[in-house]
Amino acid sequence: DWGKYRWFEGIIAILWLYQRRQESWLDELVALLGRQGRSYKELFADWKDQLPKREWTFHTHVVNLAMALKSEAMFSCVTGDDPGEFAEKMYSQLMEHHGMAIGHFTGDECLSGTDAIQGTELCGVVEAMYSHELLARITGDTVWMDRAELLAYNGLPATTSADMWTHQYDQMTNQIACAKLNKPPIFGTNGPNANRFGLEPNYGCCTANFNQGWPKFALNTFVKADAGVISMALAPSVLTAEIGDAEVKVALATDYPFGETLNYTVECEKETEFSLGIRIPAFAKKAFVDGIPAESGKIFTLKRVWNGKTTVTVTFEFETKLNARPKELFALQRGPLFYSVPIAERREMDEYVSEGVERKFPYCDYNIYPASEWQYAFAGEEFTVEKGEISDMPFDENKPPMTVEAELAVINWGLLEGQDYVCAVTPADTTPISFKKVRLQPYGCTNLRMTELPKVKK
């Protein structure tokens, strides 16, 4: 059952132990796990799940697949095979047939296709982040950390409330309400409460699992390299380490992903030679390290003798652009962030008793209904970026650190047949009714949102 489809997770602990006690039985244990576990390499060699099915299986389960992205890379640490080839193939196939705008694949609970109203599970987001982080470290390919950041700065905060008291089981990129769905629900194998915000909507696994996302991401802000350290996941962070025989401190002060500048301060108690690598994300149109051009999608390395206090400044230029999505829809991206039309909310608190346990505020559930217009299309490709202050809760929907103003057309989108709180897959009519300027917010700073919209001519 679960063990068969998650066998490679055991290799993480085995490798940790092997680094400390190099005993042959540990090698044999890894080989045994590989023989008894499900081979995703074989599964994707003749993959048959391009189309979503409304049935629950282990091999289409979104969390199993998010974990399995790293399966062959973990196994390669013992076999010596190429660590990244299979992961890239698997990721590409999943994204082609089940991809979301934010760089993840759908699964509610199992693979669900590419429609913007199909959900993806919170557990799948954090497990994919962890797989991407391990793949970046094992393969050295920075594309995996780009993908981890897309989830960390979009998918993860979007599916939890800003204060983290509540979360969704499933999030949707076009999500006009978070209320109990009509039966049968639109989700493949999840129930009608799966997109409500609460303590454990649908099932309790995400309640127990979502909180690994940020700590593991934080542990990848700096990683050890042969000749020094690499600033890998870009976020405010501080590293203290002993390099050679010197105490070294590297601090990164930044507003990224909302800002475009990284300010590093390197402090050494005495002269120490080492390399400071800085990951330049692929979604930077241009990048400069102390004014020197740096290639996007690569590691920029500063190898020097450090002494005392030294500062290094990195600046990015991000392009605000529309990315094509299936069914002639488009999603707005700027750097590592996607932007959505925010929908004002009307909330209803749902306090109740479940299995003898009272669910009272703040550990209750909520139905959230739309209280503003949501039926829009893009009416142009001129965008105005406006920056604000970053609050104590950076992804608060009421205080977004950035907005992008866009001209939109009001259209007749309509609801999905049989559902009161789900928009149709595509608009019923894209004829513009009126035009208006609308401020889009970062995807992670929304609860209700429209992310994938058509384009119309003014």
Side-chain angles (χ1 to χ4, degrees):
D1 292 341
W2 294 108
K4 178 180 179 180
Y5 285 84
R6 298 181 178 182
W7 61 273
F8 46 85
E9 296 290 320
I11 300 179
I12 299 171
I14 294 170
L15 288 176
W16 182 90
L17 183 58
Y18 191 78
Q19 290 172 347
R20 290 152 179 81
R21 294 181 67 99
Q22 296 183 11
E23 299 183 14
S24 60
W25 68 271
L26 292 170
D27 283 329
E28 295 165 6
L29 178 57
V30 172
L32 180 62
L33 288 172
R35 290 196 300 272
Q36 293 186 349
R38 180 65 166 102
S39 171
Y40 287 87
K41 201 170 183 178
E42 291 180 2
L43 177 67
F44 277 82
D46 185 26
W47 196 45
K48 295 181 173 63
D49 296 301
Q50 287 84 356
L51 297 176
K53 307 179 182 72
R54 295 185 72 87
E55 62 180 12
W56 199 102
T57 67
F58 284 107
H59 65 270
T60 61
H61 188 267
V62 65
V63 186
N64 285 347
L65 293 168
M67 290 177 162
L69 285 168
K70 63 179 178 290
S71 58
E72 290 300 317
M74 297 306 308
F75 208 33
S76 76
C77 294
V78 177
T79 64
D81 294 339
D82 186 305
E85 181 181 4
F86 170 73
E88 187 60 45
K89 175 184 177 181
M90 180 180 175
Y91 180 82
S92 297
Q93 288 185 271
L94 287 169
M95 289 302 295
E96 179 182 355
H97 299 285
H98 304 280
M100 302 173 69
I102 58 170
H104 191 39
F105 40 91
T106 59
D108 51 29
E109 180 124 331
C110 298
L111 293 173
S112 306
T114 57
D115 289 347
I117 60 171
Q118 295 302 151
T120 197
E121 190 180 332
L122 174 50
C123 284
V125 171
V126 294
E127 291 295 353
M129 283 174 59
Y130 188 39
S131 289
H132 296 339
E133 290 154 10
L134 284 174
L135 281 161
R137 282 160 38 192
I138 294 170
T139 67
D141 190 341
T142 60
V143 69
W144 293 108
M145 195 53 70
D146 291 341
R147 292 164 179 168
E149 284 191 359
L150 288 179
L151 294 182
Y153 294 139
N154 296 279
L156 179 54
T159 199
T160 64
S161 57
D163 62 6
M164 295 192 185
W165 269 108
T166 62
H167 70 272
Q168 294 176 286
Y169 199 83
D170 291 328
Q171 66 174 290
M172 303 134 80
T173 51
N174 284 357
Q175 181 168 274
I176 64 169
C178 297
K180 188 173 182 179
L181 300 172
N182 298 354
K183 292 185 177 181
I186 59 168
F187 299 136
T189 53
N190 282 338
N193 291 310
N195 79 330
R196 292 212 303 173
F197 277 84
L199 177 68
E200 50 176 7
N202 193 74
Y203 191 67
C205 59
C206 296
T207 312
N209 199 31
F210 89 92
N211 46 69
Q212 68 163 306
W214 288 119
K216 288 181 176 177
F217 184 74
L219 287 170
N220 284 275
T221 50
F222 289 96
V223 299
K224 187 178 180 181
D226 291 337
V229 297
I230 298 174
S231 174
M232 189 67 86
L234 303 181
S237 48
V238 179
L239 169 73
T240 54
E242 189 172 302
I243 299 179
D245 59 352
E247 289 293 328
V248 175
K249 178 181 178 181
V250 184
L252 170 56
T254 182
D255 287 343
Y256 185 93
F258 307 108
E260 301 87 16
T261 304
L262 312 176
N263 291 307
Y264 292 90
T265 302
V266 183
E267 297 182 64
C268 300
E269 60 180 2
K270 58 182 178 181
E271 285 192 358
T272 309
E273 184 176 5
F274 67 91
S275 295
L276 171 62
I278 300 170
R279 176 182 139 262
I280 308 298
F283 29 71
K285 185 178 180 182
K286 293 182 181 179
F288 302 89
V289 180
D290 283 341
I292 301 171
E295 185 177 357
S296 298
K298 301 291 184 181
I299 301 291
F300 187 95
T301 302
L302 295 166
K303 185 174 182 179
R304 61 177 66 165
V305 176
W306 308 83
N307 191 21
K309 181 182 287 189
T310 308
T311 60
V312 177
T313 300
V314 182
T315 55
F316 300 129
E317 291 183 15
F318 294 138
E319 180 183 10
T320 307
K321 60 181 181 178
L322 292 178
N323 293 340
R325 293 288 299 149
K327 296 182 169 64
E328 298 184 337
L329 302 179
F330 296 84
L332 183 65
Q333 181 182 8
R334 185 176 187 276
L337 298 178
F338 283 85
Y339 287 80
S340 307
V341 176
I343 304 172
E345 304 176 2
R346 178 177 64 83
R347 287 188 171 226
E348 289 183 359
M349 186 185 301
D350 187 8
E351 295 181 316
Y352 57 97
V353 176
S354 175
E355 298 180 354
V357 179
E358 290 186 332
R359 300 295 174 86
K360 288 188 174 183
F361 176 84
Y363 40 90
C364 58
D365 291 351
Y366 294 89
N367 290 313
I368 309 176
Y369 303 99
S372 64
E373 180 61 74
W374 55 267
Q375 302 183 82
Y376 288 113
F378 289 111
E381 297 191 37
E382 292 186 6
F383 306 106
T384 303
V385 178
E386 185 171 319
K387 298 180 182 179
E389 297 295 322
I390 299 178
S391 68
D392 290 340
M393 295 187 294
F395 295 97
D396 188 342
E397 68 273 13
N398 298 311
K399 300 176 183 177
M402 292 186 68
T403 59
V404 175
E405 186 180 74
E407 186 164 24
L408 304 183
V410 178
I411 60 172
N412 178 21
W413 194 299
L415 297 174
L416 186 69
E417 184 177 357
Q419 294 292 332
D420 296 330
Y421 307 118
V422 180
C423 68
V425 174
T426 56
D429 186 357
T430 58
T431 303
I433 299 169
S434 61
F435 297 90
K436 61 192 294 188
K437 297 281 188 179
V438 177
R439 292 196 178 278
L440 279 64
Q441 295 183 187
Y443 180 93
C445 298
T446 60
N447 296 323
L448 305 184
R449 58 184 164 263
M450 289 294 287
T451 309
E452 300 185 38
L453 311 177
K455 285 196 297 187
V456 298
K457 292 183 179 180
K458 188 169 182 181

